[in-house]
Amino acid sequence: MTATLRPWMLVFGFIALYWAGGVLGNRLVVGTDSVVLLWAPGALSLVLLVFEGRRWWPLVAAADLVFSLTGTDVPPVFIPFTMAANVLGAWAGATLARHRGLGPGRRMDLSSGGDIALAGFASALASLPIGVAGLVVAGFAPLSAAPDAALKWLVANVFGVAVLAPGLSLLWPHRGESPFGHELRRTGEALAWTAALAGALLLAAAVDSGRVRNAEALLALPTIVLIWGAIRLPARLVAAGTLSSGVVLSLVAASDDGALRRPETTIETLVLLLLLITLTVAPLILMAAISEARRIGREALARARTDELTGLANRQGLEHRVADALAHGPEDQPLLLAFVDIDNFKLVNDAGGQAAGDAYLRSIASLLRAVLPAGSLVGRLASDQFVLLLDDRDAAANADRLDKVLAAVRDYRQASGGNLVSASASIGAIRFHRGQAEYAD
């Protein structure tokens, strides 16, 4: 998506989703208390202002106006109230979310789920006075029933954000990203997972709890499928599955035809919403925990393979990188393994101490990276010994590069105690082809 096209896609896409979410919310009014199970526009507005910036608040107002005029039947007097309430709520929630670090640069982790829920609660509270005033003025609720109307407003908005916002946050189209990026590598498994989730949801919708006892146990099936996806599949695919599951099961409950019975009171509605939150958010929490554990493992492995002083590959890192280079690529590709020894390094250490010696080695590491082409392996094998692995298809160019390495080390001067110290280098190199040897050789 180009930078020019993206804002227009965002405008029309958001208005369409807002309208569809409002229509869906009208279908999810349940019980004698007329409680809305999920109010998707609140979650959409919050996520828009969090990830695109609060300057987009006019889009929330425009989308709410379009829905009020075309998607529902409300008195004209109610429209300014609902526009103001939804804009103010989204603004307040996004402000808190940004303050807590949520935004385009942060992906779903263990703490962001709680931050999103807190932002949703702030959004509902900020919109509450204007929203309830609009309900009273428009005649939807008498003044004496304002506390009850306030509770229903909070339930619809808070739980709507809790159920929908985590998944929306993962699915939100950030700049320069494709829907699934390069993550969707297990295509066959992803298709099987999608089919399994669709089958589990259809079964939950088809089995009538009025005729089949304990039909609610069928909810374990989509839960198991979502956990499978959380462990194995890309985050955005799983987020799409959790959102679909929340919407489908809400419709099943509202229709009173499937495995979930329609709640009749506010308390029953709260119990159902807690179940939906568990179903939709728990897999995302599990996925975030797994992602965090993998990230910590990758960082620990990277530290174990990196020389702390120079930032180059250490002995363990060299073994891994060289073995990987030998195992992949055409067998007849020539390679050059070069060992660079710093001569008289002890004199540099003696002249300025360990700190000067460390600074010298860091500088030599930078020189090697600057002289060699991008993609070359550079590592530190021992205190004053470095290792280079180069593509040797152009042997003459590599010979010239090694001469430049010697000249760069020879010409470098390190300031130490008011004096300039230097050293020279010597290089030993081995030419071979992939397939001729293993790293251990």
Side-chain angles (χ1 to χ4, degrees):
M1 187 185 303
T2 65
T4 305
L5 183 60
R6 187 178 187 277
W8 292 105
M9 294 291 291
L10 186 63
V11 168
F12 291 110
F14 179 81
I15 291 175
L17 286 174
Y18 193 102
W19 187 90
V23 172
L24 174 67
N26 287 341
R27 294 192 59 183
L28 296 178
V29 179
V30 297
T32 56
D33 295 337
S34 298
V35 179
V36 179
L37 279 177
L38 295 176
W39 183 244
L44 282 165
S45 301
L46 175 62
V47 173
L48 170 73
L49 299 194
V50 168
F51 289 103
E52 300 298 329
R54 286 162 290 183
R55 68 184 184 278
W56 284 87
W57 68 263
L59 180 55
V60 176
D64 194 81
L65 179 62
V66 170
F67 170 69
S68 297
L69 295 176
T70 64
T72 188
D73 184 18
V74 295
V77 68
F78 183 65
I79 294 177
F81 286 94
T82 183
M83 289 176 62
N86 285 315
V87 169
L88 180 60
W91 179 281
T95 299
L96 178 61
R98 283 299 189 100
H99 177 71
R100 297 184 66 85
L102 291 176
R106 180 176 171 187
R107 292 292 185 265
M108 184 75 176
D109 56 31
L110 289 177
S111 63
S112 61
D115 293 337
I116 290 172
L118 187 61
F121 188 68
S123 175
L125 282 179
S127 64
L128 180 64
I130 300 176
V132 173
L135 293 174
V136 173
V137 170
F140 289 117
L143 184 60
S144 59
D148 188 48
L151 177 60
K152 296 175 186 177
W153 185 279
L154 284 175
V155 168
N157 283 277
V158 171
F159 283 93
V161 169
V163 172
L164 302 175
L168 287 172
S169 299
L170 286 169
L171 285 171
W172 197 258
H174 299 285
R175 293 177 180 86
E177 292 184 352
S178 59
F180 294 101
H182 60 278
E183 297 177 313
L184 195 54
R185 292 186 288 266
R186 300 186 178 102
T187 306
E189 185 176 5
L191 291 173
W193 177 85
T194 303
L197 182 60
L201 292 174
L202 286 172
L203 191 60
V207 177
D208 189 350
S209 60
R211 299 179 179 180
V212 180
R213 290 184 178 181
N214 301 318
E216 295 87 352
L218 290 173
L219 295 180
L221 296 179
T223 303
I224 292 170
V225 175
L226 289 172
I227 290 174
W228 163 22
I231 296 172
R232 297 280 299 173
L233 296 172
R236 286 182 170 175
L237 182 60
V238 179
T242 60
L243 281 175
S244 301
S245 299
V247 171
V248 169
L249 293 177
S250 297
L251 289 169
V252 170
S255 68
D256 203 28
D257 289 331
L260 290 171
R261 304 305 299 172
R262 181 171 56 218
E264 296 298 333
T265 66
T266 302
I267 296 299
E268 291 179 357
T269 302
L270 289 174
V271 172
L272 175 61
L273 288 171
L274 287 173
L275 175 64
L276 293 177
I277 289 174
T278 302
L279 177 67
T280 56
V281 176
L284 299 183
I285 293 175
L286 173 63
M287 183 170 56
I290 293 172
S291 298
E292 186 168 342
R294 288 172 177 169
R295 178 186 60 80
I296 292 173
R298 287 193 298 268
E299 291 177 354
L301 184 60
R303 287 194 299 270
R305 291 175 173 174
T306 302
D307 178 50
E308 186 176 354
L309 178 63
T310 62
L312 301 176
N314 60 12
R315 181 182 292 272
Q316 182 181 348
L318 283 167
E319 290 179 359
H320 173 74
R321 295 280 300 278
V322 173
D324 185 68
L326 291 173
H328 298 90
E331 288 194 0
D332 59 347
Q333 180 180 348
L335 297 170
L336 179 70
L337 187 65
F339 297 85
V340 181
D341 288 296
I342 306 300
D343 303 325
N344 303 319
F345 174 67
K346 186 175 183 301
L347 297 179
V348 177
N349 249 342
D350 293 342
Q354 183 178 350
D358 289 348
Y360 180 83
L361 290 173
R362 283 193 292 267
S363 298
I364 294 301
S366 298
L367 286 174
L368 293 176
R369 281 190 289 242
V371 169
L372 298 175
S376 301
L377 172 61
V378 183
R380 183 182 174 214
L381 188 62
S383 174
D384 56 356
Q385 187 177 61
F386 297 85
V387 175
L388 318 175
L389 181 66
L390 308 176
D391 184 333
D392 201 38
R393 280 175 288 192
D394 191 342
N398 277 340
D400 182 58
R401 291 188 184 104
L402 295 182
D403 288 339
K404 289 181 179 179
V405 167
L406 293 175
V409 175
R410 182 182 62 247
D411 296 340
Y412 178 70
R413 299 292 184 268
Q414 173 79 35
S416 176
N419 298 315
L420 295 176
V421 295
S422 64
S424 58
S426 55
I427 297 179
I430 304 172
R431 289 187 172 89
F432 59 96
H433 292 77
R434 281 194 176 97
Q436 284 185 336
E438 299 292 336
Y439 176 76
D441 301 333

